[in-house]
Amino acid sequence: MTDSPAPLVAVIVVAAGSGTRLGHELPKAFVPLSGRTLLERSLDSVFGMRDASQVIVVAPEDRLDEARAIATERAGAAGGYLDVVPGGNSRQASVERGLAVLRPDVDTVLVHDAARALTPSTLCDAVVAAVRASGAGVVPGLDLVDSIKRVDPRGTVLAGVDRRELSAVQTPQGFPRRMLVAAFAAATEELTDDAALVTAAGFPVSIIPGDPLAFKITTPWDLRRAELLLATPADPAGSPRVGTGLDVHAFDDTSELWLAGLHWPGERGLAGHSDGDAAVHAICDALLAAAGLGDVGGVFGTADAALADAHGEVFLRETLRRVGDAGFRVGNVSVQVIGNRPRLAPRRAESEARLSSILGAPVSVSATTTDGLGFTGRGEGIAAIATALLVPAEARGPVLSWEA
Ligand code: CTP
Ligand code: MG
């Protein structure tokens, strides 16, 4: 991480718990949630803040290296200071370990549970802004929706509690540094959150609106809920999806021209690792994008020797296979070639028939020039732009059927 100007906001991310109630074999912060750990996801919220100048990750003692590697990777180009310290036996002890490494010029401290993995960065920003505006402690809280009862240990209801007086508080909780440090120094008992300590020390704390996404992942059900919130499945009963793709190749006089699935004898060829068929590559990009599968560069790469000089059909068939695996079939595709040459019109029908037969769906091919402007106008190369529509593969029949 880089040296940056005076840090003012520190965020302590407590991630040292074991996650007893989650019951996973890994400590909770290292449990995967739709492909990324809770720690990665909660750090993404923190590094997405407008200003978080020092980020302190409090991690299990035996996973400090792993936590450091994750935090460094997620920090990316965010800048600021990063510290990773071992946690204690309770959340409160873990926060205290984080407080011990605050940089001298920090004036506002946020404490955040790594377990609140889906917290939006904007909630963190709102807490910082409210601490700055009020000069006091700030916690995000949600109104309760259920009726609340006070019960005795046997489960007998003693009385109702007016829920309008209650708030379900979340993290990040933010404080002027001196209040939080003083509250921890004065703490005589173990409390469940930082606001409780700060309040017990006699400092003011106020509530700002929380966010349902900042819920704490505590039980397996919470983890499932988070997975469902993140899911973008190729739902067979779902909607059609569009994708766009663009590709450009420079002319290369030493190559034969392959374009829009056809060989063009006598025309200038295109440079590229494969046959340089910009129209087909744009179609593949559009199909992959519509299916949420990335792009041609990521899927095929340029290092694959098997694809050297490969014709467009190879790319189209593999793309079609992947799109099918993701639960889609092609609705239609439109591709436009941009360049002075070759003149496409005479072979448009041939190209459309060829590409349509490979994809098993209508492909429209069109062409345009750019009025002499730009690299296509100067005759340096060819561009192609494609749009693809995917539809969910055949929906299955009814779940229940009556058979005679
Ligand atoms: N935490 C921590 N150090 C501890 C205990 C908790 O840093 N000794 C962190 C957890 O990693 C979590 C946050 O505090 O991000 C909130 O705690 P909680 O949800 O209770 O997590 P766990 O203590 O890990 O879970 P459990 O209570 O089910 O064991
Ligand atoms: Mg706990």
Side-chain angles (χ1 to χ4, degrees):
M1 307 200 82
T2 55
D3 282 347
S4 55
L8 291 168
V9 177
V11 186
I12 299 174
V13 180
V14 280
S18 56
T20 323
R21 287 167 289 176
L22 188 61
H24 197 281
E25 58 188 9
L26 294 167
K28 188 157 74 178
F30 298 84
V31 169
L33 159 58
S34 301
R36 274 193 276 147
T37 60
L38 300 194
L39 180 59
E40 287 175 291
R41 291 188 180 278
S42 52
L43 285 173
D44 284 352
S45 316
V46 170
F47 289 120
M49 289 171 63
R50 269 200 303 271
D51 43 6
S53 307
Q54 184 186 11
V55 175
I56 301 164
V57 179
V58 187
E61 182 119 44
D62 58 348
R63 285 182 183 262
L64 291 181
D65 289 344
E66 192 180 341
R68 191 171 291 109
I70 288 175
T72 306
E73 201 242 321
R74 297 328 285 180
Y81 297 94
L82 176 62
D83 294 274
V84 180
V85 297
N89 289 332
S90 65
R91 183 183 183 283
Q92 195 163 315
S94 291
V95 175
E96 204 158 16
R97 299 277 184 94
L99 286 175
V101 299
L102 283 180
R103 297 187 68 85
D105 38 7
V106 164
D107 71 348
T108 301
V109 183
L110 266 55
V111 182
H112 186 44
D113 294 333
R116 298 180 189 273
L118 302 188
T119 305
S121 301
T122 47
L123 184 65
C124 308
D125 289 334
V127 171
V128 172
V131 173
R132 290 239 162 96
S134 66
V138 172
V139 301
L142 294 177
D143 292 344
L144 281 86
V145 289
D146 297 315
S147 294
I148 306 293
K149 304 287 182 211
R150 197 182 304 281
V151 292
D152 73 11
R154 292 193 311 274
T156 306
V157 173
L158 301 176
V161 180
D162 185 353
R163 67 171 176 239
R164 286 168 303 180
E165 292 179 357
L166 303 175
S167 179
V169 302
Q170 307 176 315
T171 75
Q173 304 193 345
F175 309 91
R177 173 190 186 141
R178 75 176 173 83
M179 290 184 193
L180 188 61
V181 170
F184 268 79
T188 50
E189 57 176 332
E190 197 74 39
L191 297 171
T192 60
D193 73 349
D194 314 290
L197 280 181
V198 171
T199 312
F203 297 114
V205 176
S206 58
I207 301 268
I208 62 165
D211 191 308
L213 284 173
F215 69 97
K216 185 157 70 74
I217 296 173
T218 307
T219 63
W221 159 244
D222 297 324
L223 189 64
R224 183 78 189 114
R225 174 150 66 117
E227 274 166 1
L228 289 171
L229 283 165
L230 291 170
T232 50
D235 177 4
S239 318
R241 293 174 55 134
V242 292
T244 52
L246 173 75
D247 195 36
V248 170
H249 284 277
F251 282 122
D252 168 14
D253 289 328
T254 65
S255 308
E256 299 272 300
L257 179 66
W258 284 82
L259 188 66
L262 303 180
H263 182 212
W264 299 76
E267 294 281 350
R268 297 174 76 193
L270 292 168
H273 174 66
S274 62
D275 69 0
D277 189 335
V280 162
H281 298 171
I283 293 173
C284 291
D285 254 342
L287 290 166
L288 291 169
L293 294 174
D295 52 34
V296 169
V299 169
F300 295 100
T302 51
D304 189 345
L307 294 174
D309 300 325
H311 290 310
E313 182 169 350
V314 175
F315 291 88
L316 282 173
R317 291 203 188 281
E318 175 60 14
T319 301
L320 192 61
R321 187 186 69 73
R322 289 174 185 247
V323 162
D325 285 351
F328 296 103
R329 64 183 176 78
V330 182
N332 77 305
V333 171
S334 167
V335 62
Q336 185 168 39
V337 175
I338 304 153
N340 301 338
R341 293 200 58 85
R343 285 208 347 98
L344 245 130
R347 300 186 69 190
R348 178 206 312 277
E350 192 187 342
S351 165
E352 289 181 341
R354 172 105 193 95
L355 297 174
S356 301
S357 77
I358 296 171
L359 290 182
V363 179
S364 319
V365 179
S366 59
T368 186
T369 63
T370 50
D371 219 5
L373 298 175
F375 69 88
T376 51
R378 290 189 299 271
E380 293 166 10
I382 281 181
I385 185 163
T387 303
L389 180 76
L390 295 181
V391 290
E394 249 38 89
R396 274 163 295 180
V399 177
L400 291 176
S401 63
W402 297 104
E403 281 176 22

